[in-house]
Amino acid sequence: QVQLVESGGGLVQPGGSLTLSCAASGRIFSINDMDWYRQVPGKPRELVATMPSTGRANYADSVKGRFTISRDNAKNTVYLLMNSLKPEDTATYYCNAGVRTDWWASWNTYWGQGTQVTVSS
């Protein structure tokens, strides 16, 4: 019904930048929050940034001032601009969105497949 597809991951040197994208497609009536999470093996998935349909973005303390989340509602796409990357930012990054497939439907949460970000010299 609904698919989230991330792109933009890769290998970058410390201090470098990357921009991740996540496009939602399928049967979509409306989307509320669109978020970015990350996970490293053996650790819980952590919330990196959240972007409501209206209102202000919120960030994990570890990325404040370095990462910027934005969204294009016309394209059902959320972005994560990552600057001043550090080795500890290495993780698989996942996008997440709350979606209604019709006006009468309940909200459901969908996840992308993840994109790997590796910060290393």
Side-chain angles (χ1 to χ4, degrees):
Q1 282 185 327
V2 176
Q3 298 82 38
L4 300 181
V5 178
E6 300 107 335
S7 61
L11 173 64
V12 63
Q13 292 187 341
S17 298
L18 277 177
T19 299
L20 306 182
S21 301
C22 172
S25 63
R27 187 176 178 85
I28 297 171
F29 176 75
S30 63
I31 302 176
N32 53 17
D33 288 7
M34 298 188 82
D35 312 319
W36 286 98
Y37 286 74
R38 66 186 180 187
Q39 189 172 26
V40 297
K43 292 189 176 181
R45 193 169 293 188
E46 66 167 340
L47 180 62
V48 175
T50 184
M51 187 74 190
S53 56
T54 58
R56 298 175 63 179
N58 284 289
Y59 299 91
D61 288 343
S62 59
V63 306
K64 279 181 182 176
R66 300 188 299 121
F67 290 11
T68 302
I69 188 172
S70 61
R71 63 190 281 177
D72 184 335
N73 291 328
K75 296 181 178 179
N76 292 330
T77 299
V78 63
Y79 305 94
L80 186 68
L81 171 60
M82 305 183 293
N83 292 323
S84 302
L85 282 161
K86 305 175 180 180
E88 52 263 43
D89 294 316
T90 296
T92 302
Y93 284 72
Y94 298 89
C95 69
N96 165 289
V99 179
R100 290 175 71 187
T101 56
D102 215 317
W103 66 269
W104 45 262
S106 59
W107 292 100
N108 286 292
T109 298
Y110 295 87
W111 291 90
Q113 81 287 354
T115 186
Q116 179 66 36
V117 172
T118 302
V119 184
S120 175
S121 55

